[in-house]
Every structure is written in C-alpha cells, then in structure tokens.
Amino acid sequence: MARHWVSHGARRLHLVDLDAARDGQGANAGAVRAILAAVNVPCQLGGGIRDEATIQRWLDAGVARLVVGTKAVKEPQWLRDMARRYPARLVLGIDARDGWVATDGWLQTSRLAATDLARQFAEEPLAAVVYTDIATDGMMAGPNVAAMAEMQRAVPLPVVASGGVASAGDVARLAGVPMAGCIIGRALYEGALTLPDALAAAGETAPGPAG
C-alpha cells in the first residue's frame, strides 16, 4: 500500500502503530521498517513514542518525523527537552474528544483542553501539531473544521488536521482555513476520494499513476 500511494502522488506518508499507542510496545516495528525500505518519501510515525531511545532508534531507521501524544500530556517537560534536542523532527499529536485531550490510544480522556495543551508548546521547535478529532475520525462525515481552525489560531506552529476527511470538498475547506495539511485514511482506502483529487483540492498537483 505504501508503494501504491506513492505511485499515485503521495509525497509524505503518515504511519500509526496502533498497538504501540495502546501498550507502548513496538509490535509493528517490522512493518514500519519494511515501509521505510519500500518507498523514497518522508514517513511520519506515531504510536508509542515515549522515550528518547525510541526517538533515536526511529530517526536512525529513516523516519522523517515522529508524533508524540500521550507522553506530552503526562510529562510536558520531557517533550520540551526532546523538541530542543531534535528540532523540527518531533510532532505534537493531540487527540481530542469534545475538545478534551485523550491519551493512551484514546482509552483515557483528560480534563485538559486541546488548545491549552498546544499552547504549552507553542514556542518549542516542533515540526507541527497533528490534531485529531476523535468524534469524526473514520466516520466519513466530514472534518470538524471549526475545531481545526480554532487550533490553528491558537498556536504559530503548522497544524495538520486529522479525522473525518471524506471528499475533495473537505480538503478544500481545510485548505481554506488555512491548515498546514490534512491526514486522509479511510476515504482513500474505500475509494470515496482519490489521492490526485485530494491533492488538487489542496492546490497541489500529482503525477499520473505509475502503476
């Protein structure tokens, strides 16, 4: 699938190890390494990034950027330290349910507002913020554009929207905010949206399919 999306114009891949997000263990490390070997585009990885050894291991393996979520909530100073040690290589991943931060693979919901969490790191040398609205993620019902726009206004960092993107119109609405980007998953796999159409809606162009 990684080769498929790159052949259709993907210039960056977003990878999530869901098992690691829940238990902190890298059960899918082999699959991630296979993807890194198979494609020649930057790959962003999230799930279970909770210590410096893991950060170093994945950066050494060729991952371009790593998404840190749960650890940022539980130990914010740790992320500040890591962001300064690895500038522009770490992404703050914020998953929210009704505006409240969720952690541990969405198993726990805190009483910390998503925008307040982002503001804690606004001046750190992070690559971006990935903001996922849990209520819309995977539902194919459109993104929560208002929440995404609120997050983008809250911090000077690039904010990537995640959750609910199901059409080229959704991409265009997020581009109009403007968001730095958006993550698309289910809509591509189910054929509701093609990658070239998504890129066009974002104001970019893609090469023709290579296979």
Side-chain angles (χ1 to χ4, degrees):
M1 290 310 303
R3 292 191 190 99
H4 170 81
W5 296 125
V6 170
S7 76
H8 282 72
R11 292 189 285 273
R12 182 182 296 274
L13 297 178
H14 176 73
L15 316 175
V16 181
D17 185 338
L18 293 177
D19 295 305
R22 294 185 175 93
D23 61 21
Q25 305 301 312
N28 297 299
V32 174
R33 290 179 184 276
I35 291 170
L36 294 173
V39 298
N40 191 30
V41 299
C43 291
Q44 175 173 287
L45 173 66
I49 312 300
R50 297 173 191 169
D51 58 63
E52 186 173 5
T54 302
I55 291 173
Q56 191 65 62
R57 183 169 66 252
W58 281 122
L59 292 180
D60 288 346
V63 173
R65 306 196 310 195
L66 292 164
V67 182
V68 179
T70 295
K71 186 85 169 192
V73 178
K74 297 183 175 180
E75 297 183 38
Q77 187 57 48
W78 177 85
L79 180 57
R80 293 188 188 97
D81 293 342
M82 292 300 101
R84 294 165 192 173
R85 197 165 298 170
Y86 303 96
R89 302 300 298 276
L90 301 183
V91 174
L92 173 60
I94 302 179
D95 301 332
R97 181 181 285 109
D98 299 322
W100 301 105
V101 174
T103 62
D104 299 282
W106 300 358
L107 298 177
Q108 305 292 329
T109 302
S110 72
R111 299 309 294 171
L112 174 64
T115 50
D116 288 344
L117 176 62
R119 289 188 184 103
Q120 291 183 29
F121 303 98
E123 303 306 318
E124 302 299 336
L126 293 166
V129 174
V130 170
Y131 185 33
T132 301
D133 180 65
I134 293 173
T136 59
D137 191 65
M139 300 305 292
M140 301 284 286
N144 187 339
V145 177
M148 298 299 151
E150 181 184 18
M151 179 61 75
Q152 184 64 87
R153 290 193 299 269
V155 293
L157 297 165
V159 179
V160 177
S162 175
V165 175
S167 69
D170 291 338
V171 176
R173 286 193 295 148
L174 290 168
V177 169
M179 306 299 296
C182 68
I183 292 170
I184 310 172
R186 183 178 175 183
L188 293 175
Y189 284 100
E190 295 192 353
L193 175 63
T194 69
L195 188 53
D197 284 349
L199 289 168
E204 300 185 26
T205 57

